Amino acid sequence: MSIHQNLLGGPAPTHLPDEPGREALASGTPAVEVAAAHPTSSLAWATLADEAFAAGRTVESYAYARTGYHRGLDALRRAGWKGHGPVPWEHEPNRGFLRALNALARAAGEIGEKDEYERCSTFLRDSSQTAADELQA
């Protein structure tokens, strides 16, 4: 028996490739510039969602978060994800998608879209309990 065999029978964790624009964001490039240069970056869209939410622009935050979420789903599928299974927070490139998912849940809750809030919150916990704990603290 292989030591790396998944004994729980679920899918293996999905590890995304490095985010385009991650280094630019880390060096202080404004998220709006990074999103324009790298529109597939969930991290850039999640950052925009967080900035808009912090400024009280909840609907704008929702739109940014939804974009980041869908860009992340595209990346997950390209990485072999089959619609469920762990997306570990501990793997840095996964954080853009997980942050966008959290931002979408948060904004949905604020605008009263209860079903979306519950679906996204559950999806976040199912993908990474660590991300849920970190982001919803």
Side-chain angles (χ1 to χ4, degrees):
M1 174 173 26
S2 168
I3 193 166
H4 299 290
Q5 182 178 3
N6 182 345
L7 299 177
L8 298 177
T14 301
H15 295 106
L16 293 173
D18 197 17
E19 276 268 356
R22 183 182 57 80
E23 289 182 17
L25 286 167
S27 70
T29 303
V32 68
E33 292 178 23
V34 176
H38 304 282
T40 62
S41 172
S42 289
L43 183 59
W45 294 108
T47 301
L48 287 168
D50 288 345
E51 291 172 355
F53 191 83
R57 299 186 319 267
T58 307
V59 172
E60 186 177 327
S61 177
Y62 182 91
Y64 286 139
R66 181 160 290 288
T67 301
Y69 165 77
H70 282 287
R71 294 301 190 151
L73 288 177
D74 293 342
L76 285 168
R77 289 182 189 110
R78 281 191 304 275
W81 182 75
K82 302 293 186 211
H84 67 285
V87 182
W89 174 258
E90 293 78 9
H91 182 67
E92 181 84 24
N94 290 351
R95 292 184 180 184
F97 167 72
L98 295 166
R99 284 183 52 194
L101 179 56
N102 178 70
L104 184 56
R106 179 185 61 208
E110 284 293 313
I111 64 172
E113 195 173 349
K114 185 178 184 215
D115 290 344
E116 180 87 352
Y117 167 79
E118 290 175 5
R119 182 184 65 77
C120 290
S121 296
T122 299
F123 187 8
L124 180 62
R125 283 190 309 276
D126 289 348
S127 297
S128 172
Q129 185 62 52
T130 304
D133 293 343
E134 289 281 327
L135 296 170
Q136 297 175 340

